[in-house]
Amino acid sequence: MKRIWVKETPQQTGKQVYLKGWIEAKRDHGGVVFLDLRDRSGFLQMVGGRELKPFGEGDVVAVEGQVKLREKRFFNAKLETGKIELAVSNIKLLAKSKPLPFATHGLGYDINEETRLKYRYLDLRRPRLRSNLYRRHQAQQLFRQALSKRGFWEVETPYLSKATPEGARDFLVPSRLQPGKFYALPQSPQQYKQLLMVAGIERYFQIVRCFRDEDLRADRQFEFTQVDIEMSFMDRDEVLDMAEAVITEAMEAMGKKIAQKPFPRFTYAEAMEKFGADKFDLRKDKKGQELAFAWVIDFPLFEKTATRQISPVHHPFTAPHPEDVQLLDKDPLRVRSWQYDLVCNGHEVAGGSIRITDPKIQTKIFSILGHSRKEIKEKFGHLLEAFQYGVPPHGGIAIGFDRLMAIINGEKTIREVIAFPMTAKGRTSVMAAPTSVPAAQLRELGLRTVKNRR
Ligand code: ASP
């Protein structure tokens, strides 16, 4: 007999069916035993006699039986299969389970998170997380569709690469063949997507992992996912309109209501004056389901860091506002940029800019940021060289996909929408990396560990 999914059983009432899945719960009433069967599609109550007694929570089984209508007083409106049950005629054990370390049916927020992540493969059995994963999958397909439809190509860029400054520390990967040299994992594909514009791709996107070694917070992980976008021959407003159309289409297809269309736009100065911050929540009802998007534009190009150094507010490839270019030498902190951020319900969910394409201005920005001529050549020579071969005007944006998923699923942390996130202390789920490695492996890489002096 062909196996069907639990969610297909209501249409099979009266018929004999064959199902496979896990025992979710057991209620033993002596002569009558109830087992709940769970597969990816849902739950179904199964009923039988003594032959069900040996089975317990977590066991994997194959069952045959007849789908029967329940007595009316036992209808369960909360379940899609709440009007039926399976009268088991045959059950076979496929795999036995140890007692589970925690229940997998509730919401799970009250369970210690380290434990949940140690057994993430069990935690993911809970319907809330399964639904988060499914909706993430749906949203990825919808973004791909919305972008492809508008002529964007998904192009993959390298993970083993050279440092791309986006304001965080790099993760380094030692090279075995060139001992003492290192690759850096990309903080974003920023330079590659700009090189793709020089290559004439015109419209690029990628659902891509980015790596940043920074302090972990509820909305930060060492690795996270962006919907990364870049386009040529468009001015700022055209880029914003395009991004807005894509996000609106994907989010509406996810069933979300957008509070205000088109998204309101505030300059950075207006936002600071009105809200005291560059992220703000425009929802009237803060608990409501709607998404209140707004653009923030005209950011300052530079800011002073705690160590009183000048650093870019976005990244060093962001174009200065043309009206302010003449201020670059005299008063760089007053220069506005062509950066834009997208906020949603109080969070920053996307950011981007029109890029510098004039090698002279790009060099000037690097030197304002304190790089010597030699450093500029070493670190960014490839980009400056590429820009000498006909670079189209271009700009783009990256959507913080994990954060957007947390918002649309009503989750407080991005860990709830990532299959295998890191713990708050930076250990990977299940495998508990980072770990030590054998001395031989270090030797092969030309590395030696020294006592950490911190
Ligand atoms: N690379 C930028 C970021 O990761 C986004 C962009 O400017 O397109 O924030």
Side-chain angles (χ1 to χ4, degrees), residues 108-125:
Y109 292 117
D110 51 339
I111 302 167
N112 173 286
E113 201 183 19
E114 300 259 331
T115 314
R116 283 179 56 203
L117 294 181
K118 176 168 183 214
Y119 298 100
R120 185 59 156 183
Y121 47 90
L122 300 178
D123 198 35
L124 288 173
R125 288 181 181 174

Side-chain angles (χ1 to χ4, degrees), residues 166 188 190 193 212 226 228 314-315 351-353 355 396-398:
E166 299 262 354
S188 90
Q190 185 60 39
K193 65 175 176 173
R212 297 183 191 178
Q226 288 185 341
D228 192 39
H314 190 45
H315 53 53
S353 60
R355 322 301 182 188
I397 190 165

Side-chain angles (χ1 to χ4, degrees), residues 8 36 43 114 118 170 184 301 328 335 338 379 398 416 422 437:
E8 297 168 300
D36 287 339
F43 298 93
E114 300 259 331
K118 176 168 183 214
D170 289 313
L301 185 62
L328 273 175
V335 176
W338 249 341
K379 290 188 177 157
E416 303 291 351
M422 279 194 189
V437 297

Side-chain angles (χ1 to χ4, degrees), residues 236-290:
R236 183 193 60 194
D237 289 345
E238 288 169 321
V239 172
L240 294 187
D241 288 346
M242 178 66 89
E244 186 165 328
V246 167
I247 290 168
T248 301
E249 183 176 314
M251 290 301 103
E252 287 185 340
M254 289 296 292
K256 304 305 284 189
K257 188 170 172 298
I258 291 175
Q260 214 178 319
K261 290 193 288 186
F263 304 167
R265 291 183 189 184
F266 300 90
T267 65
Y268 175 82
E270 282 166 356
M272 294 308 280
E273 198 186 303
K274 221 172 151 172
F275 311 105
D278 56 5
K279 7 179 197 270
F280 41 84
D281 195 341
L282 291 177
R283 281 174 301 172
K284 287 192 190 72
D285 167 13
K286 300 281 184 268
K287 290 206 188 70
Q289 283 293 303
E290 58 180 21

